């Protein structure tokens, strides 16, 4: 069974940075065969896609709200995907989730239905 565990969240001031980690295990195939997506859900809002990276590390996507500020990367030797978050503002306050599909794909998506396995979420709070 696939397991995803987020870490690295917390409280940060406006303009600060955080790096989130998503540690993965239980994949049928090699970790670098799987895409990973980051999503977030702010209070009173629906969950939205933030960023994703494909298994070959040759393609990434970002939502318009974070492009230019966030950078996704992966360290396949550590079975970990990172989300470096810079220039944070209160609108980034949310519970952040990482996710992966059950089956291999050729790319990645910011569409929630594309994913099958989810971490439990991690709180990120940005103070003004």
């Amino acid at each position: 069974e696939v397991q995803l565990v987020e870490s690295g969240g917390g409280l940060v001031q406006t303009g600060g940075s955080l790096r989130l980690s998503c540690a993965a295990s239980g994949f049928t195939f090699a970790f670098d065969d799987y895409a990973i997506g980051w999503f977030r859900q702010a209070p009173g809002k629906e969950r939205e896609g933030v960023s994703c990276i494909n298994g070959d590390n040759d393609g990434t996507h970002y939502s318009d709200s974070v492009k230019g500020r966030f950078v996704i990367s992966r360290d396949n030797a550590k079975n970990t995907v990172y989300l470096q978050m810079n220039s944070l503002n209160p609108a980034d306050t949310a519970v952040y989730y990482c996710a992966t599909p059950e089956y291999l794909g050729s790319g990645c998506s910011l569409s929630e239905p594309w994913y099958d396995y989810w971490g439990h979420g991690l709180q990120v709070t940005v103070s003004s």
Side-chain angles (χ1 to χ4, degrees):
E1 181 74 9
V2 173
Q3 300 288 330
L4 303 173
V5 180
E6 303 96 340
S7 63
L11 176 65
V12 66
Q13 292 183 329
T14 296
S17 298
L18 287 173
R19 189 178 74 162
L20 305 184
S21 298
C22 175
S25 63
F27 289 100
T28 301
F29 303 102
F31 173 70
D32 60 5
D33 291 329
Y34 291 86
I36 299 290
W38 283 100
F39 292 76
R40 67 186 183 186
Q41 187 166 24
K45 296 184 178 180
E46 295 184 349
R47 188 155 55 188
E48 64 172 345
V50 175
S51 183
C52 65
I53 185 167
N54 65 27
D56 295 328
N57 196 30
D58 61 359
T60 59
H61 292 100
Y62 298 92
S63 67
D64 289 340
S65 63
V66 308
K67 65 181 180 181
R69 299 189 298 122
F70 291 9
V71 179
I72 191 169
S73 62
R74 65 193 300 156
D75 185 341
N76 292 325
K78 297 182 178 180
N79 286 7
T80 301
V81 169
Y82 303 99
L83 185 67
Q84 178 67 45
M85 306 188 297
N86 303 309
S87 300
L88 288 164
N89 60 68
D92 297 313
T93 295
V95 176
Y96 284 72
Y97 302 85
C98 62
T100 195
E102 180 175 2
Y103 301 105
L104 300 179
S106 60
C108 72
S109 174
L110 298 182
S111 177
E112 182 175 343
W114 200 75
Y115 295 88
D116 301 294
Y117 299 102
W118 296 79
H120 289 111
L122 183 70
Q123 180 69 48
V124 171
T125 301
V126 184
S127 62
S128 60

